Amino acid sequence: QPQTALIYFRANEKYYPALSMADQLHNRVNIANMYFFLKKYDVSVSLAKEIIEDALSYDIKTELGRIYNLMGNYSIIFENNEVGIAYYKKSIDIFESLQNQTIPNGVFFMDPVFSWALCGAWSVLITWIVPSLRPCFSASTSFGVRRGGFIL
């Protein structure tokens, strides 16, 4: 439920003075994503551009990678494939560089949510599935195909 999630993330804005910039950006990326899911693309992209500026300014790579992924989705939906692919590549490059980064105490950074090794290509385009006009026929034919074909 993107609308419910949006209400939740918007309510978190009151805590920004007590949060780090990384946590603020994380919440802001979530808000931009919810507007995207609600198909309010102009609002989502406007927020995304602000987030990109702040993430670059504060050098917060995780949120920069997340927002580049959103911009890739937006670009692909509006058939600007080259720009979309460029955003996806930027996003993947960021997370691949972070995946094996060592932090000062010698522990490896590996964000389980965005781990390329654990999750594969997480920047898959969001698609809408159109329901079948004849679901019973589709279900019956798909079973036959799985069993090795049809007998006429």
Side-chain angles (χ1 to χ4, degrees):
Q1 300 292 349
Q3 187 63 46
T4 303
L6 181 60
I7 292 167
Y8 170 79
F9 294 129
R10 282 287 183 188
N12 289 339
E13 291 176 317
K14 66 185 172 197
Y15 300 113
Y16 283 2
L19 296 175
S20 69
M21 182 53 72
D23 288 336
Q24 291 177 40
L25 284 174
H26 185 79
N27 195 67
R28 289 168 58 197
V29 172
N30 289 336
I31 291 169
N33 274 310
M34 292 309 103
Y35 279 118
F36 179 85
F37 289 126
L38 292 168
K39 299 182 182 179
K40 295 182 179 181
Y41 301 122
D42 291 341
V43 176
S44 180
V45 169
S46 176
L47 292 171
K49 289 177 181 179
E50 293 172 12
I51 293 165
I52 289 170
E53 280 184 35
D54 288 343
L56 288 169
S57 176
Y58 288 90
D59 194 31
I60 301 174
K61 291 182 173 63
T62 302
E63 301 311 319
L64 185 61
R66 291 180 65 218
I67 204 66
Y68 281 159
N69 184 61
L70 177 65
M71 291 298 289
N73 290 340
Y74 175 81
S75 299
I76 297 294
I77 283 176
F78 287 95
E79 298 180 5
N80 196 345
N81 295 342
E82 288 182 27
V83 172
I85 290 169
Y87 275 119
Y88 288 147
K89 285 181 179 179
K90 285 181 178 184
S91 181
I92 290 168
D93 288 345
I94 288 170
F95 284 105
E96 284 183 340
S97 73
L98 291 175
Q99 185 171 359
N100 294 319
Q101 182 177 353
T102 303
I103 54 178
N105 65 1
V107 176
F108 286 99
F109 172 83
M110 185 174 225
D111 187 339
V113 176
F114 295 108
S115 168
W116 180 265
L118 294 176
C119 302
W122 50 266
S123 60
V124 175
L125 173 65
I126 299 163
T127 60
W128 290 270
I129 299 171
V130 179
S132 171
L133 294 176
R134 297 175 37 191
C136 291
F137 177 76
S138 296
S140 67
T141 58
S142 65
F143 177 77
V145 171
R146 286 193 314 264
R147 298 280 307 202
F150 298 103
I151 299 172
L152 298 176

